[in-house]
């Protein structure tokens, strides 16, 4: 039996650079810029947030309060021979910043 290493849970804010079509190109994490590999499929999905459990009311015209956006991409450091790492990025409803949920 082989034990797989656990995914480090980070929950840190990260800066993400996007292409004009909205696909992640690079991630600034831990003082480094990780380049997203364009040849590896990037997963993009949405889940629903239970906004009624965290907010007492939603003002009319507030916007989308329930869609949590995710990207999962493969990235590497451009100047080093480091193997690809999987980054899972999350953005809460109405947020402008991205959070690094995990990297493995």
């Amino acid at each position: 039996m082989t034990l797989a290493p656990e995914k480090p849970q980070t929950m840190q804010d990260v800066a993400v650079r996007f292409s004009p079509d909205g696909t992640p190109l690079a991630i600034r994490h831990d003082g480094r810029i990780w380049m997203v590999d364009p040849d590896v499929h990037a997963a993009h999905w949405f889940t629903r947030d239970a906004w009624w459990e965290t907010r007492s009311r939603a003002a009319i015209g507030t916007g989308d309060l329930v869609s949590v956006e995710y990207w999962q991409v493969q990235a590497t450091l451009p100047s080093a021979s480091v193997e690809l790492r999987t980054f899972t990025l999350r953005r809460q409803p109405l947020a402008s910043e991205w959070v690094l949920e995990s990297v493995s």
Side-chain angles (χ1 to χ4, degrees):
M1 181 168 122
T2 305
L3 295 175
E6 290 184 28
K7 288 184 185 177
Q9 299 297 317
T10 61
M11 298 299 185
Q12 299 175 6
D13 288 346
V14 292
V16 183
R17 182 174 176 205
F18 290 91
S19 68
D21 70 353
T23 305
L25 295 172
I27 302 163
R28 181 182 295 274
H29 165 61
D30 201 25
R32 299 178 180 178
I33 296 177
W34 294 79
M35 300 305 295
V36 174
D37 189 333
D39 297 328
V40 178
H41 173 72
H44 185 220
W45 71 95
F46 291 86
T47 61
R48 297 293 189 198
D49 182 34
W51 66 268
W52 55 89
E53 293 177 3
T54 57
R55 298 170 193 89
S56 59
R57 306 181 165 200
I60 295 173
T62 301
D64 183 355
L65 297 174
V66 296
S67 296
V68 181
E69 185 175 7
Y70 288 88
W71 277 98
Q72 189 172 63
V73 297
Q74 302 284 313
T76 189
L77 294 171
S79 61
S81 58
V82 178
E83 53 185 74
L84 288 172
R85 296 203 179 157
T86 302
F87 286 78
T88 303
L89 309 169
R90 183 185 75 215
R91 185 171 63 175
Q92 290 298 112
L94 304 178
S96 59
E97 65 277 344
W98 287 87
V99 172
L100 179 60
E101 186 169 276
S102 67
V103 60
S104 60

